[in-house]
Amino acid sequence: TLRRQLSGRYPARTRCRQPARLPRPTRAVLQMLSNFYTNPLAPGISIQYKSNSSISRCAFSRRRSTTIRATASVDTAPSLLKEAAQTRKVEAHKLYDALRLLEKKKEKQVSLQDLNGQWQLCFTTGTKKVQTGQGTGSYFPIKAVQSFNAAEMRIRNGVYLGPVASLWFDGPFQWRDKQRMLEFDFHKVSVKLGPLGPISFDIGNKEAWDNLKELEQAASGGQGNIEKSAESQKIGSNPFFTFVHVDENVCAARGRGGGLAFWSKIENQPSS
């Protein structure tokens, strides 16, 4: 046969039986497997399959695990967050992976004294309701600062639009050391418009609270994160942050809504 091919009596291409097409149920199963393994939270094999192709086109390819996409390690994750806070150029998926690494580490040495001071919000994944499931997030578009006063056990959450306007909330918090959780409530809001103010008032009235929440959402492009506390005193019934990492440069936490975020330290002393 080889001699006849070389002499030109047979075509040069190799003759072989065409592979059989897959039955529809098998194609459906392969498609389901493809959807599963290409999920960014599932490691392993990625199946690339075209429903109208034959077995020869069903290609199996290894890919690295995307549970954590090897963009950082537990040791380098804090440095990556610090770089992102300074440059805002680190890719979103790398920051998400770094935050997940720190969360999986389950850091136990988180001290309330380490949180004392002012922290500017840099990056957030949003709540679970708005997460795409692709392991991404975004840099926070405006200046938002959390201030923790460890001595007085008070928190301030502020949104600052330069000299144009400022809006901040004040209230007490509880520190639950075992859970690394800071649970808080807001009792007062203050508003400053240009040279006017600040004007402060209590926010016990539900209608006033709803109006302020709408204002904060509008000012932050829909990424506001203030919440009103619940009446229950059970752990986690009020708004809270569960901290996964705190050092002298950055801190990271997951909120009650399910979103991950990190802040960079801008002042060692809390807001007065």
Side-chain angles (χ1 to χ4, degrees), residues 75-135:
D75 294 330
T76 61
S79 298
L80 190 67
L81 300 186
K82 181 181 178 182
E83 178 186 349
Q86 294 173 343
T87 67
R88 298 179 72 88
K89 292 183 179 180
V90 179
E91 295 173 284
H93 74 86
K94 293 182 180 180
L95 294 176
Y96 178 87
D97 291 346
L99 291 170
R100 291 287 288 120
L101 278 168
L102 292 172
E103 186 175 41
K104 286 179 175 292
K105 180 184 176 183
K106 296 183 178 179
E107 186 172 317
K108 296 180 179 180
Q109 302 301 319
V110 175
S111 167
L112 176 58
Q113 292 300 323
D114 294 336
L115 284 171
N116 191 68
Q118 298 179 48
W119 304 80
Q120 182 169 341
L121 180 60
C122 298
F123 179 89
T124 177
T125 65
T127 64
K128 283 186 175 180
K129 291 183 180 179
V130 300
Q131 287 180 24
T132 63
Q134 300 299 315

Side-chain angles (χ1 to χ4, degrees), residues 74-201:
V74 173
D75 294 330
T76 61
S79 298
L80 190 67
L81 300 186
K82 181 181 178 182
E83 178 186 349
Q86 294 173 343
T87 67
R88 298 179 72 88
K89 292 183 179 180
V90 179
E91 295 173 284
H93 74 86
K94 293 182 180 180
L95 294 176
Y96 178 87
D97 291 346
L99 291 170
R100 291 287 288 120
L101 278 168
L102 292 172
E103 186 175 41
K104 286 179 175 292
K105 180 184 176 183
K106 296 183 178 179
E107 186 172 317
K108 296 180 179 180
Q109 302 301 319
V110 175
S111 167
L112 176 58
Q113 292 300 323
D114 294 336
L115 284 171
N116 191 68
Q118 298 179 48
W119 304 80
Q120 182 169 341
L121 180 60
C122 298
F123 179 89
T124 177
T125 65
T127 64
K128 283 186 175 180
K129 291 183 180 179
V130 300
Q131 287 180 24
T132 63
Q134 300 299 315
T136 59
S138 62
Y139 290 96
F140 203 74
I142 60 177
K143 185 178 181 180
V145 177
Q146 298 275 6
S147 174
F148 304 112
N149 189 323
E152 299 180 8
M153 302 286 281
R154 296 193 64 81
I155 181 175
R156 171 173 291 182
N157 183 351
V159 177
Y160 304 93
L161 303 178
V164 178
S166 301
L167 174 70
W168 62 91
F169 299 81
D170 291 287
F173 69 77
Q174 288 183 296
W175 174 251
R176 305 186 186 279
D177 192 64
K178 185 176 181 180
Q179 291 86 8
R180 311 182 311 284
M181 178 189 291
L182 190 146
E183 193 170 359
F184 57 92
D185 184 16
F186 292 124
H187 291 170
K188 185 178 71 172
V189 63
S190 301
V191 182
K192 189 175 187 297
L193 298 174
L196 304 177
I199 302 172
S200 301
F201 51 92

Side-chain angles (χ1 to χ4, degrees), residues 25-38 47 49:
T26 306
R27 294 203 298 266
V29 170
L30 284 171
Q31 188 61 53
M32 291 174 62
L33 288 172
S34 177
N35 292 338
F36 174 78
Y37 282 112
T38 54
I47 301 178
Y49 178 72

